[in-house]
Each structure stands twice: as structure tokens, then as C-alpha cells.
Amino acid sequence: QSVLTQPPSASGTPGQRVIISCSGSSSNIGTNTVNWYRQIPGTAPKLLIYSNNQRPSGVPDRFSGSKSGTSASLAISGLQSEDEADYYCAAWDDSLNGVVFGGGTKLTVL
Amino acid sequence: QVQLVESGGSVVQPGGSLRLSCAASGFSFSTYGIHWVRQAPGKGLEWVAFIRSGGTKKYYADSVRGRFTISREDSKNTLHLQMNSLRAEDTAVYHCARGRVVAPTEFDYWGQGTQVTVSS
């Protein structure tokens, strides 16, 4: 059972907009920044969004992040087949004194 | 370019020990906090441990506290994870990940990982 809650799966057709949610609590998302990582199975995760809504260089602006209260979301617009991957949210937890992850969301492009 | 390369993974019996290493290059290693994150087969990401720049502050997940020790050798640009009293549930790919300078709990680069299998 992950500390942060994500839907296990999400899907969309090419060109659509998909939103992946991440729910936490006051000790993690409510107090600290949220990051999103993308992982293609069998490879290392990559940073997709940091500090709630910032994109590292090289990440297309089709990807955006937001945070409100104890929840965060990742939006992917103009869905492409290469967006198929697992997506994880993460944040520091002040009560656990460590980083907590969501369980991951498997995105399928239909 | 930034590179993190893990090594030391192996098959070990329950109760055994293993020492993982993470060799860093392409950046000023001593300036950054570094983490270990693991992924069990078919499962999600699980944070394991974090050591701040300077090595004075260390943090551990409850699942490994008292059994695992994170350390760093800045002179060799290397991070270590000493794993003792290993259990079957420690079986996973172990990644090292660099924390951002201004936000050390955000991972901006990851290594490819090293496989640890705990089995009799």
C-alpha cells in the first residue's frame, strides 16, 4: 500500500488529453513539492516534472503538473504512442522523514 | 554528462550481506545528496535511503532501518549501500539517484540499477 495514491491505469487515444492524479496528505503533498517520474519498463526512471510544475530541459510542454492542497496531477496533452509508460508521483514526507512514491500509473495509448 | 553506474548486485541467501556501489561522473559529486531507490519485480518504486552532501545526515525507509547503511566516499565519487540481514522482500533492482542541489529530495538523474536477489 503506497503512501501516495494513484490510479493503477489510464488510457487515451492519440491527440487526447489525459490526467493522472496523485493523492497524499498534509505531511507530504500538503507541505512539500511533488515530482513526477516516467519509466519505460526495464529502464531507469526519468524526471518528468519537478517542484510541482517545472519541466526539466528536454521535456515537451505537452507535459504539465499542478498541485492543490494534498493532491497533485500530471496532465499530458496531444497524447502520442511513445507516451506509453509507467508514471510515478513522489514527495518528501515530514512524518516518515523520507521520500514517498505513488504506486504508479500505467498509461496506455489506444 | 551526468552518469551514475551501480554495481555489486548478486544472488545472496536470506540473512546474508551485500554491498552496493554507485560510481558517479560528470558532476561535482560532493555537492549533491544521493539516494537509493529500489523496484521489486513487477512492483513500483520504493525509496530506500538518502545521504546529504557532506555525509552527516542520513535517512532510511522503515523497511530497511537498522539493516542497511548508506555512506559516501567523496574522494572516489562513490556512494555505497551496505545491506545486512537480507530478506526475500529485499529482492529488487537498486537504483542510485541524484538529488537536485536546491531540492535534494527531487531526483534529477538515475542510474540503470543493479539486481539484488535474496534466495536460498
Side-chain angles (χ1 to χ4, degrees):
Chain A
Q1 191 79 354
S2 302
V3 174
L4 304 182
T5 301
Q6 295 179 238
S9 63
S11 64
T13 56
Q16 267 191 333
R17 184 170 185 255
V18 169
I19 295 177
I20 297 172
S21 62
C22 175
S23 177
S25 67
S26 58
S27 63
N28 42 66
I29 294 179
T31 309
N32 300 299
T33 58
V34 177
N35 312 291
W36 291 89
Y37 303 94
R38 165 193 166 126
Q39 185 183 34
I40 295 170
T43 69
K46 286 188 176 179
L47 180 63
L48 192 63
I49 297 288
Y50 66 93
S51 297
N52 302 327
N53 55 18
Q54 302 298 302
R55 283 186 308 276
S57 60
V59 173
D61 59 7
R62 301 188 296 107
F63 295 87
S64 62
S66 64
K67 183 182 107 168
S68 178
T70 58
S71 294
S73 61
L74 172 72
I76 308 171
S77 59
L79 204 58
Q80 299 178 6
S81 57
E82 53 262 41
D83 295 333
E84 281 204 345
D86 296 322
Y87 293 84
Y88 294 89
C89 59
W92 181 264
D93 190 295
D94 290 340
S95 295
L96 297 174
N97 239 3
V99 176
V100 291
F101 281 97
T105 298
K106 183 177 183 62
L107 176 63
T108 301
V109 181
L110 302 169
Chain B
Q1 72 280 22
V2 173
Q3 275 200 312
L4 297 166
V5 180
E6 302 89 341
S7 62
S10 179
V11 178
V12 61
Q13 291 190 338
S17 298
L18 208 55
R19 189 192 198 207
L20 305 183
S21 296
C22 169
S25 60
F27 66 100
S28 178
F29 180 75
S30 62
T31 307
Y32 290 81
I34 312 287
H35 301 252
W36 286 102
V37 178
R38 68 186 181 183
Q39 188 168 32
K43 302 294 185 183
L45 301 172
E46 180 189 14
W47 174 80
V48 173
F50 167 44
I51 185 167
R52 287 195 180 272
S53 61
T56 53
K57 290 253 186 184
K58 304 175 185 182
Y59 306 82
Y60 298 93
D62 287 345
S63 57
V64 306
R65 187 175 291 112
R67 301 187 299 123
F68 290 12
T69 302
I70 189 171
S71 63
R72 61 191 299 158
E73 287 186 86
D74 288 348
S75 62
K76 296 183 178 180
N77 292 343
T78 302
L79 175 78
H80 299 290
L81 184 68
Q82 177 66 42
M83 305 187 296
N84 298 330
S85 303
L86 282 161
R87 306 166 181 167
E89 53 264 35
D90 295 319
T91 294
V93 174
Y94 285 71
H95 299 273
C96 56
R98 190 183 82 167
R100 295 176 60 236
V101 170
V102 296
T105 60
E106 300 179 346
F107 318 132
D108 58 359
Y109 287 92
W110 298 64
Q112 287 301 315
T114 187
Q115 176 71 50
V116 172
T117 301
V118 184
S119 173
S120 53

Short mmCIF file of all heavy atoms in Angstrom, two decimals, chain A residues 38 62-63 76-87 107-109:
data_model
loop_
_atom_site.label_atom_id
_atom_site.label_comp_id
_atom_site.label_asym_id
_atom_site.label_seq_id
_atom_site.Cartn_x
_atom_site.Cartn_y
_atom_site.Cartn_z
N ARG A 38 8.79 9.25 -15.06
CA ARG A 38 8.28 8.39 -16.13
C ARG A 38 9.24 7.23 -16.28
O ARG A 38 10.47 7.42 -16.27
CB ARG A 38 8.21 9.20 -17.42
CG ARG A 38 8.04 8.45 -18.69
CD ARG A 38 8.29 9.39 -19.85
NE ARG A 38 8.46 8.67 -21.08
CZ ARG A 38 7.75 8.90 -22.17
NH1 ARG A 38 6.85 9.86 -22.17
NH2 ARG A 38 7.96 8.21 -23.26
N ARG A 62 3.97 19.51 -23.62
CA ARG A 62 2.73 18.72 -23.57
C ARG A 62 2.50 18.16 -22.16
O ARG A 62 1.38 17.77 -21.80
CB ARG A 62 2.80 17.53 -24.54
CG ARG A 62 3.01 17.88 -25.98
CD ARG A 62 2.88 16.67 -26.89
NE ARG A 62 3.88 15.63 -26.67
CZ ARG A 62 3.63 14.47 -26.08
NH1 ARG A 62 2.44 14.18 -25.61
NH2 ARG A 62 4.61 13.59 -25.95
N PHE A 63 3.58 18.10 -21.38
CA PHE A 63 3.50 17.59 -20.01
C PHE A 63 3.43 18.76 -19.04
O PHE A 63 4.24 19.68 -19.10
CB PHE A 63 4.73 16.74 -19.69
CG PHE A 63 4.85 15.48 -20.50
CD1 PHE A 63 5.48 15.50 -21.74
CD2 PHE A 63 4.30 14.29 -20.05
CE1 PHE A 63 5.58 14.34 -22.50
CE2 PHE A 63 4.39 13.13 -20.79
CZ PHE A 63 5.03 13.16 -22.03
N ILE A 76 -1.15 15.25 -19.60
CA ILE A 76 -0.43 15.01 -20.85
C ILE A 76 -1.40 15.34 -21.98
O ILE A 76 -2.45 14.72 -22.12
CB ILE A 76 0.02 13.55 -20.98
CG1 ILE A 76 0.79 13.11 -19.73
CG2 ILE A 76 0.90 13.36 -22.22
CD1 ILE A 76 1.10 11.62 -19.67
N SER A 77 -1.05 16.35 -22.77
CA SER A 77 -1.91 16.72 -23.88
C SER A 77 -1.29 16.25 -25.19
O SER A 77 -0.09 15.93 -25.24
CB SER A 77 -2.11 18.25 -23.91
OG SER A 77 -0.85 18.89 -24.03
N GLY A 78 -2.11 16.20 -26.22
CA GLY A 78 -1.61 15.73 -27.51
C GLY A 78 -0.96 14.36 -27.40
O GLY A 78 0.16 14.16 -27.85
N LEU A 79 -1.66 13.43 -26.78
CA LEU A 79 -1.12 12.11 -26.47
C LEU A 79 -0.49 11.46 -27.70
O LEU A 79 -1.03 11.52 -28.82
CB LEU A 79 -2.25 11.23 -25.95
CG LEU A 79 -1.89 10.04 -25.05
CD1 LEU A 79 -1.14 10.49 -23.82
CD2 LEU A 79 -3.16 9.29 -24.66
N GLN A 80 0.68 10.86 -27.48
CA GLN A 80 1.40 10.17 -28.55
C GLN A 80 1.69 8.73 -28.11
O GLN A 80 1.76 8.44 -26.92
CB GLN A 80 2.71 10.90 -28.86
CG GLN A 80 2.52 12.33 -29.33
CD GLN A 80 3.83 13.05 -29.58
OE1 GLN A 80 4.91 12.47 -29.50
NE2 GLN A 80 3.75 14.34 -29.90
N SER A 81 1.89 7.87 -29.09
CA SER A 81 2.12 6.45 -28.77
C SER A 81 3.34 6.27 -27.88
O SER A 81 3.38 5.39 -27.02
CB SER A 81 2.27 5.64 -30.05
OG SER A 81 3.32 6.14 -30.84
N GLU A 82 4.33 7.14 -28.07
CA GLU A 82 5.55 7.00 -27.27
C GLU A 82 5.38 7.45 -25.82
O GLU A 82 6.30 7.34 -25.01
CB GLU A 82 6.73 7.77 -27.90
CG GLU A 82 6.43 9.20 -28.20
CD GLU A 82 6.06 9.41 -29.66
OE1 GLU A 82 5.32 8.57 -30.21
OE2 GLU A 82 6.50 10.42 -30.23
N ASP A 83 4.19 7.95 -25.49
CA ASP A 83 3.92 8.32 -24.10
C ASP A 83 3.55 7.11 -23.25
O ASP A 83 3.43 7.22 -22.03
CB ASP A 83 2.78 9.35 -24.02
CG ASP A 83 3.15 10.67 -24.67
OD1 ASP A 83 4.36 10.99 -24.72
OD2 ASP A 83 2.23 11.37 -25.14
N GLU A 84 3.37 5.96 -23.89
CA GLU A 84 3.08 4.75 -23.12
C GLU A 84 4.24 4.45 -22.19
O GLU A 84 5.38 4.27 -22.62
CB GLU A 84 2.85 3.55 -24.06
CG GLU A 84 1.48 3.51 -24.67
CD GLU A 84 1.07 2.10 -25.08
OE1 GLU A 84 1.94 1.22 -25.16
OE2 GLU A 84 -0.12 1.90 -25.34
N ALA A 85 3.93 4.41 -20.90
CA ALA A 85 4.96 4.21 -19.88
C ALA A 85 4.26 4.13 -18.53
O ALA A 85 3.03 4.28 -18.43
CB ALA A 85 5.96 5.36 -19.88
N ASP A 86 5.06 3.92 -17.49
CA ASP A 86 4.55 3.99 -16.12
C ASP A 86 4.92 5.36 -15.56
O ASP A 86 6.05 5.84 -15.73
CB ASP A 86 5.16 2.90 -15.25
CG ASP A 86 4.77 1.51 -15.73
OD1 ASP A 86 3.61 1.32 -16.14
OD2 ASP A 86 5.63 0.60 -15.67
N TYR A 87 3.98 5.99 -14.86
CA TYR A 87 4.20 7.32 -14.31
C TYR A 87 4.04 7.27 -12.79
O TYR A 87 3.07 6.69 -12.28
CB TYR A 87 3.19 8.31 -14.91
CG TYR A 87 3.44 8.55 -16.38
CD1 TYR A 87 2.92 7.68 -17.33
CD2 TYR A 87 4.20 9.63 -16.82
CE1 TYR A 87 3.17 7.87 -18.69
CE2 TYR A 87 4.45 9.85 -18.16
CZ TYR A 87 3.93 8.96 -19.09
OH TYR A 87 4.18 9.16 -20.43
N LEU A 107 0.14 4.02 -18.31
CA LEU A 107 -0.58 4.74 -19.35
C LEU A 107 -0.54 3.96 -20.65
O LEU A 107 0.53 3.59 -21.14
CB LEU A 107 0.04 6.12 -19.56
CG LEU A 107 -0.57 6.95 -20.70
CD1 LEU A 107 -2.04 7.26 -20.41
CD2 LEU A 107 0.22 8.24 -20.91
N THR A 108 -1.72 3.72 -21.19
CA THR A 108 -1.85 3.02 -22.46
C THR A 108 -2.43 3.97 -23.51
O THR A 108 -3.42 4.66 -23.25
CB THR A 108 -2.79 1.81 -22.33
OG1 THR A 108 -2.26 0.92 -21.33
CG2 THR A 108 -2.90 1.05 -23.64
N VAL A 109 -1.80 4.02 -24.67
CA VAL A 109 -2.31 4.83 -25.78
C VAL A 109 -3.01 3.88 -26.74
O VAL A 109 -2.38 3.00 -27.33
CB VAL A 109 -1.17 5.59 -26.48
CG1 VAL A 109 -1.73 6.43 -27.63
CG2 VAL A 109 -0.44 6.48 -25.49
#
